[in-house]
Structure formats: structure tokens, C-alpha cells
Amino acid sequence: MPRLALSAALKREHREIDSGIEAFLEKLDCGSVQSELLTPALEALHRHIYLEEVFLFPPIREAGMVMPLFVMLREHGELWRTMDTLVDLLAEGKDRQRLADTCDQLMEQLHQHNSKEEPIIYPHADTDLPLQTSAELTRFIQTGRTPDGWVCQHAAV
């Protein structure tokens, strides 16, 4: 993946995550709780947050972009807590309305987060990362997995 494609790959992951949640909501509207549609989207979002916090954000912070990254990290914590709620609701499997409401909440959080992250942070993925970090991030996008037990920085309140 060429260096200039990193921001495009990160944006593509945003769209894929959104699509997975939307597919779950569509089935939920039809009266069916199909966790196999939502679980992969949540796993992809966990992985996406991991790659940003481990590979993307540190070199951008070192280059001097502090406040926008602080906002992104805080919002990652909010997203993480909403995902934890969804995992619990899926395990219970009873309250379709609460599942729908919480998915809607997650989609709104993602919309707000991505609308800032894509134009403010992602251009730095194409221009400001050291070549080694860019290569590591590219490899992770293609094949990486979130380590077991990893939790984002601001998951705890």
C-alpha cells in the first residue's frame, strides 16, 4: 500500500464499520437479533482504535499536534464504553429497543468522531509519519490483530 493510501485505507475502515452496524440495525428492525452481524463490526472498531492509538497518534503527537489528539482519545473512550454496553446487551439478548438505541448512539458518536478525525488527523498519515511507522501501520491495516485484553487509553471513566 503506497504511503499516500494510508488515509484512504483508514477512511475505508470507517465505512466498513458503519456498514456492519447499519446491517445489524436493519435486521434488528425486522425483529431479528443477529449478533453475528454486529460482533465483527465491534471487533473491527476495537482494532481500528488500537491501530490509531498505537501506530498513528504517537508520531503525530510528537510532531506537535496535541489538542486534536486529546479529543480523539477522549472520544475513543466514549466509543469503547458504548461498545462495552452493546456487548453486554448482546449477551443478554432480550432488549431489542435498547440494542437499537445504543447502536444509534454509537453511530452518532462515530459520525461526530469521524467528521473531525478524517479531515484533521488522517492527512498526517499520508505526510507526517516516519517511513518505518508508515510501513508498520500499512502492515497492520492489512493483517494486524488487536492484542488480547488491550483497552484504549480512555476506556475507564
Side-chain angles (χ1 to χ4, degrees):
M1 177 182 318
R3 185 177 169 123
L4 292 176
L6 284 173
S7 63
L10 294 165
K11 289 176 187 177
R12 184 186 70 246
E13 286 193 358
H14 281 177
R15 304 302 168 260
E16 291 169 355
I17 291 163
D18 291 349
S19 294
I21 298 167
E22 289 164 355
F24 174 78
L25 280 167
E26 287 175 18
K27 293 292 185 179
L28 195 59
D29 285 344
C30 296
S32 175
V33 177
Q34 295 186 3
S35 61
E36 67 274 4
L37 293 175
L38 185 57
T39 300
L42 296 178
E43 289 171 356
L45 184 51
H46 281 121
R47 178 186 173 281
H48 185 81
I49 290 171
Y50 172 81
L51 76 85
E52 288 179 347
E53 291 194 10
V54 171
F55 297 102
L56 182 62
F57 291 178
I60 294 172
R61 182 177 26 252
E62 287 175 20
M65 182 176 278
V66 176
M67 281 311 295
L69 290 175
F70 176 79
V71 172
M72 295 297 102
L73 291 168
R74 183 180 45 80
E75 290 179 359
H76 281 176
E78 293 168 359
L79 292 164
W80 201 275
R81 289 186 295 277
T82 303
M83 288 188 288
D84 285 348
T85 299
L86 283 169
V87 168
D88 292 345
L89 289 169
L90 284 172
E92 294 169 11
K94 300 175 193 169
D95 193 341
R96 283 191 5 240
Q97 186 58 53
R98 190 153 173 239
L99 262 170
D101 292 345
T102 306
C103 278
D104 287 339
Q105 174 187 347
L106 182 61
M107 289 299 293
E108 180 58 29
Q109 288 172 321
L110 286 169
H111 173 73
Q112 293 299 318
H113 180 78
N114 296 346
S115 70
K116 292 178 284 211
E117 186 172 63
E118 290 179 3
I120 296 169
I121 306 297
Y122 284 0
H124 296 275
D126 295 335
T127 60
D128 296 346
L129 296 184
L131 286 176
Q132 180 178 350
T133 302
S134 181
E136 289 171 353
L137 180 55
T138 299
R139 276 192 301 279
F140 188 86
I141 288 171
Q142 293 170 346
T143 61
R145 296 176 41 106
T146 307
D148 290 339
W150 185 86
V151 177
C152 76
Q153 286 183 24
H154 292 263
V157 187

